[in-house]
Amino acid sequence: MGESSGGAAHRSSAVADAWSVPVLWRPRRERPKVVVKADLLPAVSVLSTAGLLGIPLGWLWSRIAPPERLRVVTSDGRLAPLELESWHRFDDLAIYGFLALGLGLLIGVVAWLLRERRGPVVLVAAVGGSALAAWLGTQMGVAFGNARFEVTAAPALGSVVEQAPKLESGWVVLAAPLATALVYALLTAWNGRDDLGRRLG
């Protein structure tokens, strides 16, 4: 009986001593350093590949965006939009914005899947590539649209012609890089590892 009570007292004092000793110093874990040189070439590949996606982006927009129908009102070819047709100017801008947003999300996810190259270098390349793709899409999309709705002959008075879709604001280019940066940041926060899982690649 005495031995059991003595052993219990010894264990309780050991537990108390373990909890009562403050931890003044803990070994500091070495955080992974940002890799720059090894990620430069993959970053250039990400930037150039993402930038080239602006060509199919522009082509797809030129096929989806509605043209604006106008009527020839004078003999010298002056045009006037039909009723409610001027709304398509906003439709063209909104459609391109949503397409650029989707492309930015796609680029961000694909860049994140490059596990062995995760980090700020590839992030900057992905954001730059998505911005380049969005800008190239505006140029190629308008060109594709003009070729699709090209007027080959002078329209007659009173006839209705279709005007190619156009983008009247350059701010729509920001949709893609903002989406890329946002999805990459969210995936980084969700990962929670110091090296973003690079060592597991």
Side-chain angles (χ1 to χ4, degrees):
M1 184 69 178
E3 292 180 358
S4 61
S5 60
H10 178 72
R11 287 195 299 270
S12 62
S13 63
V15 172
D17 292 341
W19 282 101
S20 61
V21 176
V23 178
L24 300 179
W25 178 83
R26 290 181 180 177
R28 185 178 180 183
R29 291 190 305 170
E30 184 178 356
R31 293 186 177 182
K33 297 180 180 179
V34 176
V35 180
V36 177
K37 291 184 178 180
D39 289 351
L40 283 180
L41 186 58
V44 172
S45 300
V46 169
L47 189 148
S48 57
T49 303
L52 290 177
L53 294 177
I55 298 176
L57 172 65
W59 180 85
L60 181 61
W61 173 80
S62 68
R63 292 292 174 175
I64 297 178
E68 183 181 2
R69 295 191 302 168
L70 304 100
R71 186 182 299 277
V72 181
V73 295
T74 60
S75 57
D76 60 350
R78 183 180 177 184
L79 303 174
L82 299 180
E83 186 178 2
L84 303 180
E85 284 294 316
S86 60
W87 290 7
H88 290 323
R89 295 163 60 186
F90 172 77
D91 297 338
D92 299 338
L93 191 66
I95 289 173
Y96 189 86
F98 281 116
L99 290 176
L101 189 68
L103 179 63
L105 293 175
L106 176 64
I107 292 174
V109 171
V110 172
W112 175 258
L113 292 178
L114 302 175
R115 181 187 292 271
E116 296 181 359
R117 301 303 177 189
R118 289 175 182 172
V121 178
V122 172
L123 170 60
V124 171
V127 172
S130 59
L132 177 61
W135 175 83
L136 184 60
T138 60
Q139 306 301 313
M140 299 301 298
V142 172
F144 286 136
N146 290 335
R148 182 184 177 191
F149 297 99
E150 182 181 5
V151 179
T152 57
L157 181 63
S159 62
V160 176
V161 297
E162 291 183 337
Q163 189 177 56
K166 53 187 176 181
L167 297 171
E168 299 184 354
S169 176
W171 291 102
V172 71
V173 173
L174 297 179
L178 287 177
T180 300
L182 177 62
V183 70
Y184 204 95
L186 290 176
L187 291 173
T188 301
W190 170 77
N191 180 266
R193 296 177 180 269
D194 290 340
D195 65 341
L196 303 180
R198 288 174 64 112
R199 290 193 296 264
L200 301 178

